[in-house]
Amino acid sequence: MEVIQLGSFTLQWSMLVLLVSFVFGIVAIALRLKMENVPVKPWTEWAGTILVCILLNEKFGYLWDSPSIIWNQTKALLFLSGTSVNGNVLLGIGLVAWTITYIRKHQLSYGLLSDVAAHGLLMGLAVYGFMYAYSGTPAPYLTPLPLPAVMAVALPPFESIMSLLLLLGLWLRKREMGSYADAQLSALAAGVIGMLMSYMYPDDERMFGLSILQWVSVALLAASYFITRACERVEAVRVQSETTIEDFPRPLGEQEAADGNSGKIG
């Protein structure tokens, strides 16, 4: 199923899957934040902006390689779609820079950003694979289950099933959002599972000696390491602040009252 024809309007199936996956990811973020009584609007706006940018790149990303289409074949913009390497790189850099600016402008927490992104990505990946399984076509870039071809296509890919199980585990743990706990577990589990899968399903495409899946797994494991260090720094600051408060000298009246209650004689 490559395209969906709605009268004279043509919609690519891959674009529809991407859109629905992001929408479900945003819904998962909103529900999780509501459980913690955290304001939802800043994060849904952040995720919605990323969705719009990615969809525009999926539709017009090819213009980075062939900008002459704009003035030579303007009508072709309605029918053509696709991405380019240059567009993907610039999109990634732009989204990272914009996210940092957005976090600082709205005075949001990077810990909350990490946990929110983990929930959104896991839900989006799960829906992505399940939608392709529903259409009966293999999901691009994902690993089918080790079953006969007919059964493997009809079932969600391995990554989508693991994402759904991991997301369910995060919801059952109910760790405080913003503590890096969900992001830490997600990155560690995804990195370890991805590295193991890279040996079970070897890929012929290599970059500097490693497959694409192995590079992604290494990036996830590195992210888990840095998140762990961030958690340690946050915990050290919290302990230090509590110690400082306890060691801070009390006013004279409060100190005398405390000594009287403890039985000390001045």
Side-chain angles (χ1 to χ4, degrees):
M1 185 186 297
E2 294 294 331
V3 296
I4 299 175
Q5 195 72 30
L6 302 173
S8 58
F9 178 73
T10 301
L11 177 64
Q12 285 193 344
W13 171 250
S14 59
M15 291 282 286
L16 177 62
V17 172
L18 188 63
L19 174 61
V20 174
S21 300
F22 262 92
V23 170
F24 270 86
I26 295 173
V27 171
I29 290 172
L31 292 177
R32 187 66 182 88
L33 291 175
K34 285 184 177 180
M35 291 176 60
E36 298 289 330
N37 295 322
V38 177
V40 176
K41 185 178 179 181
W43 297 106
T44 53
E45 289 180 352
W46 166 76
T49 303
I50 291 180
L51 168 60
V52 171
C53 292
I54 290 178
L55 290 178
L56 289 176
N57 182 66
E58 288 289 327
K59 176 61 179 176
F60 301 109
Y62 61 89
L63 292 176
W64 290 102
D65 294 337
S66 303
S68 59
I69 295 176
I70 298 177
W71 53 83
N72 291 334
Q73 298 175 329
T74 306
K75 292 184 179 179
L77 296 175
L78 300 174
F79 309 103
L80 296 177
S81 63
T83 61
S84 66
V85 175
N86 294 331
N88 293 335
V89 172
L90 291 174
L91 176 67
I93 296 174
L95 289 179
V96 170
W98 174 80
T99 298
I100 295 174
T101 304
Y102 185 86
I103 294 297
R104 292 181 177 178
K105 179 180 178 181
H106 294 272
Q107 298 181 352
L108 301 175
S109 167
Y110 284 102
L112 193 54
L113 169 66
S114 302
D115 291 339
V116 161
H119 283 266
L121 289 173
L122 289 174
M123 176 59 79
L125 184 59
V127 174
Y128 182 85
F130 274 82
M131 287 192 67
Y132 270 102
Y134 174 78
S135 66
T137 55
Y141 312 111
L142 299 186
T143 308
L145 296 176
L147 297 171
V150 177
M151 297 179 61
V153 171
L155 294 174
F158 183 82
E159 291 86 349
S160 295
I161 296 176
M162 294 305 300
S163 296
L164 189 60
L165 294 176
L166 183 56
L167 183 64
L168 180 61
L170 296 181
W171 280 63
L172 293 176
R173 292 174 77 218
K174 294 183 180 180
R175 292 297 181 90
E176 180 183 359
M177 294 291 286
S179 63
Y180 292 98
D182 290 351
Q184 180 185 23
L185 178 60
S186 301
L188 179 61
V192 172
I193 293 174
M195 188 62 71
L196 293 176
M197 288 179 58
S198 68
Y199 294 104
M200 295 173 60
Y201 303 94
D203 189 359
D204 294 334
E205 297 184 10
R206 295 276 172 172
M207 294 176 58
F208 304 103
L210 298 178
S211 65
I212 296 177
L213 179 57
Q214 288 175 339
W215 277 116
V216 173
S217 301
V218 168
L220 289 171
L221 292 174
S224 175
Y225 169 77
F226 287 112
I227 291 173
T228 302
R229 295 300 302 271
C231 291
E232 293 175 352
R233 287 194 297 269
V234 171
E235 182 64 21
V237 171
R238 185 185 66 82
V239 172
Q240 184 178 3
S241 62
E242 291 179 354
T243 304
T244 303
I245 293 174
E246 292 177 357
D247 294 341
F248 191 82
R250 302 180 186 178
L252 183 58
E254 294 184 5
Q255 184 66 40
E256 292 176 350
D259 292 342
N261 292 332
S262 61
K264 293 182 179 180
I265 299 176

